[in-house]
Amino acid sequence: YELSLGLVGAEMCIRDRAWSLSCVGDLERDASTTARVYNCVRRLGLDDRVTFRGVVGQSSLAQEYHFSDLFVLASHYEGYGMALTEALAHGVPIIATGAGALVNTVPSSAGLLVPPGNVAALTLALGRFFGEPRHRRKLKAGARGYRLRQRSWEIAIHDMADEVRSWAAT
């Protein structure tokens, strides 16, 4: 919760830049946190920049990634970082907290990691992404390169099914 508000606060600090934020994901799982973050967005006057999309279908999610310049995840802990892996698979660079397994999930060529709970570091990372075009281009190129090196989920599932079939045949 604090880091979600920290993200909103960090965005307030870069208000002079052109940006918008789409929050995609379950808004009901922790409705009280969602309400607090939504109220913070309203209090700070960021309603015109922040959209709460909620749970979206696969094609809508693909569109979100397609039109995104950056994926931000400001959590205190992540066991793996599936959402980050998915963003990278779509060629979207990342700013995230170095929480849990994320230090092993996000390549430095495609993202910036900041310490969990450090809103100042998050603000600096966002400012650097939006304020340094050369750095932004480097991260975008790194994310696109990552995408080209990774297998899609469909290919990974197909490969796994082939492997299971070969085991079953023996």
Side-chain angles (χ1 to χ4, degrees), residues 35-157:
R36 285 186 292 236
V37 173
Y38 179 74
N39 288 334
C40 182
V41 166
R42 290 184 62 205
R43 256 192 335 274
L44 293 173
L46 299 174
D47 308 71
D48 59 332
R49 293 185 183 217
V50 180
T51 305
F52 293 87
R53 302 251 188 253
V55 175
V56 299
Q58 202 59 28
S59 64
S60 294
L61 184 59
Q63 283 185 327
E64 290 287 339
Y65 283 123
H66 178 74
F67 291 109
S68 294
D69 292 314
L70 178 65
F71 185 95
V72 181
L73 182 65
S75 58
H76 283 278
Y77 180 80
E78 290 291 326
Y80 173 70
M82 185 61 75
L84 297 179
T85 301
E86 191 170 358
L88 288 171
H90 284 85
V92 179
I94 291 169
I95 292 178
T97 54
L102 298 186
V103 294
N104 299 317
T105 304
V106 179
S108 61
S109 63
L112 298 172
L113 295 178
V114 300
N118 190 330
V119 177
L122 182 60
T123 302
L124 286 173
L126 288 166
R128 185 171 183 207
F129 183 84
F130 289 110
E132 298 178 24
R134 187 175 185 192
H135 184 68
R136 183 173 54 249
R137 285 190 300 271
K138 178 183 161 225
L139 291 177
K140 285 183 174 189
R144 284 191 305 272
Y146 179 91
R147 175 187 65 199
L148 296 174
R149 290 188 306 273
Q150 299 305 307
R151 299 182 299 168
S152 70
W153 285 115
E154 290 80 16
I155 292 171
I157 290 168

Side-chain angles (χ1 to χ4, degrees), residues 14-22 46-51:
I14 59 166
R15 188 177 202 140
D16 61 326
R17 315 256 184 202
W19 61 266
S20 64
L21 173 68
S22 291
L46 299 174
D47 308 71
D48 59 332
R49 293 185 183 217
V50 180
T51 305

